[in-house]
């Protein structure tokens, strides 16, 4: 942004160079000159380079310390300088002697800086410029007046803006005829006359004061007034500038706050507790103690005064004495009140928490003479705080320190490297809730915690991290072998309870480094989950290593790219292939299963098993599932338009998608958008959807069937057993898992149970599809036992859209 000087017929851009100014003052300058183009530099060399690069720079603001040699350098350029000085007239004189155009003493107001820069910009334009003050300054939200005369004592107002006249409540003519001293409140006049005299005698270049003016109706207006010479570099010119800000509301607020403070102080003085006055000495020698002393401390007031029986310092619990003294010492010479909570020891030897609030007292000469304050008994509140703090930092079920406490503990641990963490993953215990109820599994976790607490000591601290995870902090283990040995001891304790329940557990181990705490805990969780996955293989303790780090990075990459893919639905990263489903009876294609494919920009092809699991855990499966459904229905719309009105598409739906409240409305919206026949849509789900909320899921299936869609159970026979409730299920089709089809290659026909599965499904009125058919003898077996449809490489691998259409036309139109 540039600062424009408004002239009669032209606008001239003026740049401002600021040299040697830093900190809060740069902010003040930016706010003051918010319409100017400003350059900030630190050294003389930088200043010269900036001036040469930017010819629009015509004004320089120089810190006095930077001005001595720089003023001479800048004299070779068409630049006028304002030197920022301390409250030192000698500095001003020296700066003006060196060629400065103007000086401005710190501290200065933003308004004064804006006006002085504006005036200098005005003078730069010469006689032709004749900057219109009304456009540049007089519209400012402050009162401004310009005075002129042979000297300060005989100055006369020549200009005044409307804001000033409004603040004063007078016309310009009135202000020109009435002596300003008569308009000033008598109580403020004496103070101002001292500064006015110094100003008149050229001892100071200006002054700032808070004062009251008397308005025509007798009311008062509080103002902050700044008076200065208009042109510091022209001491012979008796032109003066006055800036006035109305601070009446501020003053009223200050008075209101003081009154409120008085009322509050009066209120607290009547509260139960102990009022006191004491010396600031090593004993806190009491000079006065109120009658509340007896109830609070057990001592009579006279027993404390003058340390007659005991000093107050002796009453403060030893652990708090230094803190109390340090806090008082830090504020004793200021106006900040003392507020602290600490324990005292009563006459009976009990401990009580007190709230101490006081203030240092000074005499008329400003010398510190005493401390006055109040003590209140807060023991009950402290007890409640300690209870709440305990529950805040402990798991209510196991009574172990919780994850919040662990994170705080690890963050405060000065030396992380060399210590270790060991996690016990009990996630598998959750499965027992289905059969035995939630309390059963939670009580089992509690029993495990009690067992593990037997291993706790000063070097092995046990925490409860999540509902089904506990973590040992191991301080400076002897060596890695000792860590593994401890891990085996933990596993043995867990085994004594979980072996008979026939559920596994995982133990993860990580040596701490200087990485952030949350990252360490994430790595530990990964190791414990891997330990749980490897449980059946007998790997009891899983150590976080580089391979896991790489796996975690891969997972993070996939999760990030899935999120980006969802934001950009037209991305080519997600595509679908379609595997034909062959009708054994009609020898035609009855439908296609939509299979999602992900091509990562950084990792290449990612298997559906991997990215679907990551999407579910990252809570991205719902939006991702919507994209897959939409792409699948677009393909269905395409084959319907090609005239294949009886060929359907099967879409895999996860349990998370299915239970989302938006699933059905979103699905029907996609159906309507793609204008497809619901009779040609099959939704494939795994048996796991029935683990919880069986009735809710079954009711949803019934509603989907009423809308014309079919429901198929995928991978039947490998997961959660629904056989006992098969007759109740609102499903249309069972898909026999590939594992059963593979066994047809190694088992005798009479040994295989695939035929029984087909027969059972038919008796219940379900269609049967065999997955993973790759060999002729598998096909012959399935055909013999009247399997309805097959799917597998024997007939076709998954195909792209164009290839799927070609195969469909070749097969179903021959």
């Amino acid at each position: 942004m540039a600062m424009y000087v408004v002239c009669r017929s032209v606008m001239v851009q003026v740049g401002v160079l600021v040299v040697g100014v830093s900190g809060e003052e740069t902010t003040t300058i930016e706010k003051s000159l918010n319409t100017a183009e400003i350059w900030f530099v630190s050294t003389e060399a930088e200043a010269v380079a900036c001036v040469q690069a930017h010819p629009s720079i015509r004004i320089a603001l120089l810190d006095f310390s930077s001005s001595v040699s720089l003023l001479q350098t800048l004299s070779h350029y068409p630049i006028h300088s304002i030197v920022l000085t301390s409250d030192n007239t000698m500095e001003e004189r020296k700066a003006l002697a060196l060629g400065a155009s103007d000086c401005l003493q710190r501290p200065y107001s933003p308004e004064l800086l804006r006006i002085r820069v504006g005036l200098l910009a005005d003078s730069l334009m010469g006689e032709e410029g004749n900057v219109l003050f009304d456009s540049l300054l007089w519209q400012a939200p402050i009162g401004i007046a310009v005075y002129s005369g042979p000297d300060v004592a005989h100055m006369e107002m020549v200009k005044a803006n409307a804001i000033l006249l409004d603040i004063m409540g007078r016309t310009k003519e009135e202000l020109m005829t009435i002596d300003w001293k008569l308009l000033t409140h008598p109580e403020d006049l004496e103070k101002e006359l001292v500064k006015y005299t110094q100003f008149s005698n050229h001892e100071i270049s200006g002054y700032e004061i808070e004062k009251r003016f008397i308005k025509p109706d007798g009311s008062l207006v509080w103002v902050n007034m700044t008076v200065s010479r208009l042109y510091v570099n022209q001491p012979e010119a008796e032109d003066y500038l006055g800036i006035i800000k109305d601070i009446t509301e501020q003053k009223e607020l200050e008075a209101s706050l003081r009154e409120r403070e008085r009322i509050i102080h009066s209120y607290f003085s009547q509260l139960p507790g102990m009022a006191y006055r004491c010396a600031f000495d090593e004993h806190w020698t009491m000079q006065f103690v109120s009658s509340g002393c007896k109830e609070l401390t057990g001592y009579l007031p006279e027993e404390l005064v003058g340390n007659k029986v005991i000093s107050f310092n002796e009453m403060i619990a030893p652990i708090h004495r230094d803190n109390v003294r340090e806090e008082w010492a830090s504020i004793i010479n200021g106006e900040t009140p003392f507020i602290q909570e600490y324990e005292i020891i009563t006459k009976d030897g009990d401990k009580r928490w007190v709230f101490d609030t006081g203030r240092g007292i000074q005499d008329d000469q400003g010398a510190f003479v005493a401390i006055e304050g109040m003590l209140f008994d807060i023991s009950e509140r402290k007890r409640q705080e300690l209870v709440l703090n305990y529950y805040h930092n402990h798991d209510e079920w196991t009574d172990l320190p919780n994850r919040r406490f662990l994170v705080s503990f690890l963050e405060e641990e000065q030396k992380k490297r060399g210590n270790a963490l060991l996690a016990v993953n009990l996630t598998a215990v959750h499965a027992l809730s289905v059969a035995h109820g939630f309390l059963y599994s939670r009580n089992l976790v509690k029993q495990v915690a009690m067992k593990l607490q037997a291993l706790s000591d000063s070097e092995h601290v046990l925490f409860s991290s999540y509902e089904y995870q506990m973590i040992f902090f191991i301080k400076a283990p002897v060596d890695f072998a000792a860590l593994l040995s401890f891990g085996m001891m933990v596993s043995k304790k867990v085994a004594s309870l979980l072996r008979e329940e026939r559920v596994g557990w995982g133990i993860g181990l990580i040596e701490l480094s200087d990485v952030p705490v949350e990252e360490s805990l994430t790595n530990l969780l990964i190791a414990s989950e891997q330990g749980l996955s490897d449980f059946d293989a007998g790997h009891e303790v899983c150590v976080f290593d580089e391979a896991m780090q790489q796996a975690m990075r891969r997972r993070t990459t996939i999760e990030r790219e899935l999120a980006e893919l969802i934001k950009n639905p037209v991305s080519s990263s997600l595509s679908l292939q379609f595997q034909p489903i062959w009708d054994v009876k009609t020898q035609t294609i009855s439908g296609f299963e939509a299979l999602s494919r992900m091509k990562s920009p950084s990792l290449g092809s990612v298997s559906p098993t991997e990215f679907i699991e990551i999407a579910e855990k990252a809570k991205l499966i719902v939006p991702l599932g919507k994209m897959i459904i939409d792409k699948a229905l677009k393909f269905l719309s395409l084959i319907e338009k090609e005239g294949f009105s009886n060929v359907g598409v099967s879409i895999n739906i996860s349990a998370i998608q299915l239970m989302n409240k938006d699933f059905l409305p979103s699905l029907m919206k996609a159906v309507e958008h793609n204008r497809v026949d619901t009779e040609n849509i099959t939704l494939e789900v795994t048996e796991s959807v029935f683990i919880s909320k069986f009735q809710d899921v079954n009711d949803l299936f019934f509603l989907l069937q009423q809308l014309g869609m079919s429901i198929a159970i995928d991978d039947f026979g490998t997961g959660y057993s629904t056989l006992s409730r098969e007759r109740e299920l609102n499903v249309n089709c069972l898909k026999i898992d590939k594992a059963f089809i593979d066994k047809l290659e190694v088992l005798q026909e009479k040994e295989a149970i695939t035929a029984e599965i087909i027969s059972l499904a038919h008796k219940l009125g379900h269609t049967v599809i065999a997955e993973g058919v790759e060999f002729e003898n598998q096909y012959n077996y399935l055909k013999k036992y009247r399997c309805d449809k097959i799917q597998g490489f024997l007939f076709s691998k998954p195909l792209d859209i164009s290839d799927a259409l070609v195969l469909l036309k070749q097969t179903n139109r021959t």
Side-chain angles (χ1 to χ4, degrees):
M1 293 182 293
M3 181 175 190
Y4 291 95
V5 178
V6 185
C7 305
R8 283 193 182 93
S9 59
V10 67
M11 294 188 97
V12 179
Q13 183 176 350
V14 177
V16 179
L17 175 69
V18 183
V19 186
V21 174
S22 60
E24 294 182 2
E25 191 170 5
T26 61
T27 304
T28 301
I29 293 172
E30 286 178 330
K31 289 181 178 178
S32 301
L33 309 179
N34 60 353
T35 60
E37 188 173 9
I38 309 174
W39 291 267
F40 289 88
V41 299
S42 300
T43 65
E44 181 173 342
E46 291 174 348
V48 172
C50 192
V51 168
Q52 292 173 346
H54 303 285
S56 64
I57 295 175
R58 302 296 303 279
I59 296 175
L61 296 180
L62 313 178
D63 181 76
F64 179 78
S65 62
S66 308
S67 66
V68 177
S69 62
L70 188 54
L71 281 170
Q72 184 176 359
T73 302
L74 293 180
S75 67
H76 300 294
Y77 299 91
I79 293 174
H80 289 244
S81 302
I82 299 176
V83 175
L84 304 174
T85 70
S86 61
D87 191 7
N88 187 327
T89 306
M90 292 299 295
E91 288 185 357
E92 285 189 359
R93 293 173 179 170
K94 185 174 182 180
L96 293 172
L98 291 171
S101 300
D102 198 356
C103 292
L104 194 59
Q105 287 188 2
R106 298 183 177 99
Y108 50 81
S109 67
E111 292 83 4
L112 182 59
L113 176 61
R114 186 182 302 117
I115 291 170
R116 298 294 270 272
V117 172
L119 288 171
L120 189 56
D122 179 14
S123 68
L124 287 174
M125 302 311 303
E127 294 181 1
E128 294 181 1
N130 192 19
V131 175
L132 299 177
F133 251 163
D134 289 343
S135 298
L136 182 62
L137 300 176
W138 301 130
Q139 297 177 23
I142 54 173
I144 302 174
V146 175
Y147 296 84
S148 184
D151 53 50
V152 175
H154 300 89
M155 59 184 176
E156 183 177 298
M157 179 185 293
V158 294
K159 288 186 179 181
N161 70 351
I163 299 295
L164 181 135
L165 300 178
D166 184 62
I167 292 173
M168 300 291 290
R170 299 180 185 274
T171 65
K172 180 181 176 183
E173 289 70 22
E174 288 179 301
L175 294 176
M176 293 176 66
T177 57
I178 302 175
D179 189 341
W180 65 269
K181 301 180 187 66
L182 299 177
L183 301 179
T184 302
H185 192 282
E187 293 179 8
D188 302 327
L189 182 59
E190 183 177 352
K191 176 177 59 176
E192 184 177 6
L193 285 175
V194 174
K195 294 188 176 184
Y196 177 76
T197 301
Q198 294 174 326
F199 180 63
S200 302
N201 296 333
H202 290 264
E203 296 174 15
I204 57 176
S205 61
Y207 64 87
E208 182 176 357
I209 190 171
E210 289 186 359
K211 59 181 286 188
R212 286 163 289 182
F213 275 121
I214 304 170
K215 301 179 80 170
D217 61 1
S219 62
L220 300 176
V221 56
W222 271 100
V223 300
N224 178 285
M225 186 174 75
T226 302
V227 177
S228 64
R229 285 180 170 77
L230 199 56
Y231 303 106
V232 175
N233 62 334
Q234 299 177 27
E236 72 284 354
E238 296 297 341
D239 297 313
Y240 311 98
L241 179 67
I243 300 175
I244 292 179
K245 290 177 65 175
D246 187 343
I247 60 170
T248 304
E249 185 175 346
Q250 173 188 328
K251 284 292 185 179
E252 290 174 349
L253 180 60
E254 289 176 359
S256 174
L257 290 175
R258 285 194 298 271
E259 175 62 14
R260 185 179 178 186
E261 183 178 354
R262 185 194 65 77
I263 294 171
I264 292 174
H265 180 75
S266 175
Y267 170 74
F268 273 105
S269 68
Q270 299 177 48
L271 289 176
M274 184 184 96
Y276 66 86
R277 180 185 177 97
C278 70
F280 184 60
D281 59 16
E282 61 178 326
H283 303 293
W284 303 110
T285 301
M286 289 295 165
Q287 301 167 354
F288 164 80
V289 179
S290 71
S291 59
C293 174
K294 172 66 176 174
E295 183 177 352
L296 180 65
T297 70
Y299 292 96
L300 295 171
E302 54 268 27
E303 291 180 302
L304 264 66
V305 173
N307 307 324
K308 184 176 181 181
V309 174
I310 188 172
S311 72
F312 189 75
N313 188 63
E314 293 176 279
M315 289 178 57
I316 299 174
I319 194 173
H320 297 289
R321 287 175 188 168
D322 289 342
N323 290 338
V324 172
R325 187 164 300 280
E326 288 171 7
E327 181 66 17
W328 262 117
S330 69
I331 61 148
I332 198 66
N333 293 320
E335 296 184 359
T336 306
F338 173 83
I339 298 176
Q340 197 168 8
E341 297 175 359
Y342 53 88
E343 287 179 294
I344 63 170
I345 302 171
T346 69
K347 191 172 186 177
D348 296 333
D350 298 329
K351 284 188 176 181
R352 285 189 181 178
W353 277 94
V354 295
F355 175 83
D356 188 356
T357 176
R359 187 182 296 272
I361 305 301
Q362 297 176 326
D363 59 19
D364 294 339
Q365 286 71 45
F368 175 71
V369 294
I371 294 171
E372 291 181 355
M374 286 286 298
L375 284 176
F376 301 98
D377 186 350
I378 59 168
S379 301
E380 179 59 24
R381 174 170 71 79
K382 270 295 181 179
R383 186 191 67 78
Q384 293 176 359
E385 283 182 5
L386 293 172
V387 171
L388 288 173
N389 186 60
Y390 181 85
Y391 284 116
H392 181 73
N393 290 312
H394 286 74
D395 176 62
E396 63 178 342
W397 196 260
T398 61
D399 210 32
L400 293 174
N402 59 20
R403 190 178 191 279
R404 186 185 298 107
F405 190 85
L406 172 62
V407 170
S408 176
F409 175 80
L410 292 176
E411 288 176 344
E412 292 176 5
E413 185 71 20
Q414 295 296 318
K415 182 183 176 184
K416 296 184 180 66
R417 191 178 294 275
N419 300 323
L421 295 175
L422 183 142
V424 181
N425 191 324
L426 304 174
T427 307
V429 173
H430 177 64
L432 297 175
S433 300
V434 178
H436 305 293
F438 175 74
L439 285 178
Y440 183 86
S441 62
R442 293 297 285 133
N443 278 321
L444 189 57
V445 171
K446 187 173 183 178
Q447 291 177 51
V448 172
M450 292 173 65
K451 284 274 188 183
L452 295 181
Q453 278 185 302
L455 299 176
S456 296
D457 53 36
S458 59
E459 306 298 319
H460 304 82
V461 185
L462 183 62
F463 297 83
S464 174
S465 180
Y466 295 111
E467 189 175 8
Y468 292 101
Q469 186 188 63
M470 282 167 265
I471 295 177
F472 272 103
F473 170 77
I474 305 172
K475 189 174 183 64
V478 177
D479 52 31
F480 190 72
L483 277 177
L484 289 178
S485 175
F486 182 75
M488 297 300 291
M489 291 171 58
V490 170
S491 184
K492 187 175 180 180
K493 289 282 187 183
V494 177
S496 66
L497 289 171
L498 299 191
R499 285 287 187 198
E500 60 186 50
E501 298 289 348
R502 298 184 179 180
V503 294
W505 59 91
I507 295 181
L509 183 62
I510 182 171
E511 293 184 275
L512 286 173
S513 61
D514 295 327
V515 302
V517 170
E518 288 294 344
E519 184 177 338
S520 295
L521 292 176
T522 299
N523 295 342
L524 181 65
L525 179 61
I526 292 170
S528 70
E529 288 180 342
Q530 188 63 49
L532 183 60
S533 300
D534 296 343
F535 179 78
D536 291 335
H539 304 303
E540 293 187 66
V541 180
C542 181
V543 182
F544 185 81
D545 56 17
E546 182 60 29
M548 288 186 196
Q549 183 77 30
Q550 292 296 333
M552 184 180 70
R553 289 173 182 163
R554 177 180 174 87
R555 181 185 185 89
T556 302
T557 299
I558 294 172
E559 183 178 325
R560 185 187 68 251
E561 292 181 359
L562 282 172
E564 292 172 354
L565 186 156
I566 289 167
K567 290 180 183 177
N568 181 22
V570 297
S571 169
S572 60
S573 298
L574 179 71
S575 62
L576 297 188
Q577 286 189 318
F578 299 89
Q579 187 170 34
I581 300 174
W582 179 255
D583 190 305
V584 177
K585 185 176 182 180
T586 65
Q587 296 291 291
T588 59
I589 297 174
S590 65
F592 293 86
E593 180 180 358
L595 301 170
S596 55
R597 300 289 184 257
M598 179 182 177
K599 189 168 185 180
S600 163
S602 56
L603 303 175
S605 295
V606 181
S607 73
T609 304
E610 184 177 13
F611 76 77
I612 292 296
E613 179 188 357
I614 291 173
E616 288 181 336
K617 290 187 176 180
K619 298 182 180 179
L620 298 172
I621 191 63
V622 171
L624 183 66
K626 287 181 181 180
M627 293 175 61
I628 292 171
I629 289 172
D630 189 60
K631 288 178 181 290
L633 295 186
K634 277 183 170 59
F635 175 72
L636 177 58
S637 175
L638 184 61
I639 61 178
E640 286 183 353
K641 289 176 182 177
E642 290 288 337
F644 299 100
S645 58
N646 295 321
V647 176
V649 170
S650 297
I651 309 170
N652 291 282
I653 306 294
S654 79
I656 297 173
Q657 276 180 274
L658 199 67
M659 297 313 297
N660 184 274
K661 64 181 180 180
D662 187 47
F663 173 71
L664 184 55
S666 172
L667 174 61
M668 294 312 298
K669 185 176 179 180
V671 168
E672 292 171 9
H673 176 72
N674 291 285
R675 297 182 180 179
V676 293
D677 187 352
T678 54
E679 297 285 344
N680 291 326
I681 300 174
T682 298
L683 304 179
E684 295 190 13
V685 299
T686 61
E687 295 174 282
S688 62
V689 299
F690 296 101
I691 290 180
S692 62
K693 299 185 178 180
F694 176 93
Q695 194 58 51
D696 291 343
V697 172
N698 213 26
D699 289 346
L700 177 59
F701 286 168
F702 177 76
L703 182 56
L704 291 166
Q705 288 175 328
Q706 293 297 106
L707 292 169
M709 299 179 220
S710 298
I711 308 297
I713 296 182
D714 197 13
D715 302 332
F716 182 77
T718 61
Y720 172 79
S721 176
T722 58
L723 198 58
S724 61
R725 308 186 71 171
E726 179 68 20
R727 192 176 296 276
E728 303 174 38
L729 300 181
N730 294 318
V731 299
N732 305 86
C733 176
L734 299 183
K735 297 188 74 172
I736 302 176
D737 188 72
K738 186 178 184 297
F740 291 98
I741 307 305
D742 289 343
K743 288 181 180 178
L744 297 178
E745 286 294 297
V746 295
L747 297 176
Q748 296 293 324
E749 183 176 326
K750 62 181 180 180
E751 296 175 323
I753 65 169
T754 308
E756 282 73 17
I757 296 175
I758 296 171
S759 176
L760 173 63
H762 284 163
K763 288 179 181 179
L764 296 172
H766 302 325
T767 300
V768 179
I769 300 176
E771 296 183 288
V773 179
E774 299 179 2
F775 303 103
E776 285 288 344
N777 61 320
Q778 294 173 335
Y779 174 71
N780 292 333
Y781 176 95
L782 295 166
K783 184 177 181 181
K784 176 180 178 180
Y785 289 102
R786 298 172 54 214
C787 181
D788 301 294
K789 301 174 184 181
I790 65 168
Q791 183 181 343
F793 281 17
L794 177 64
F795 180 63
S796 174
K797 65 180 181 179
L799 303 170
D800 293 332
I801 292 176
S802 57
D803 294 333
L805 283 173
V806 170
L807 181 62
L808 178 61
K809 291 174 182 178
Q810 290 175 349
T811 304
N812 285 26
R813 286 180 177 169
T814 55

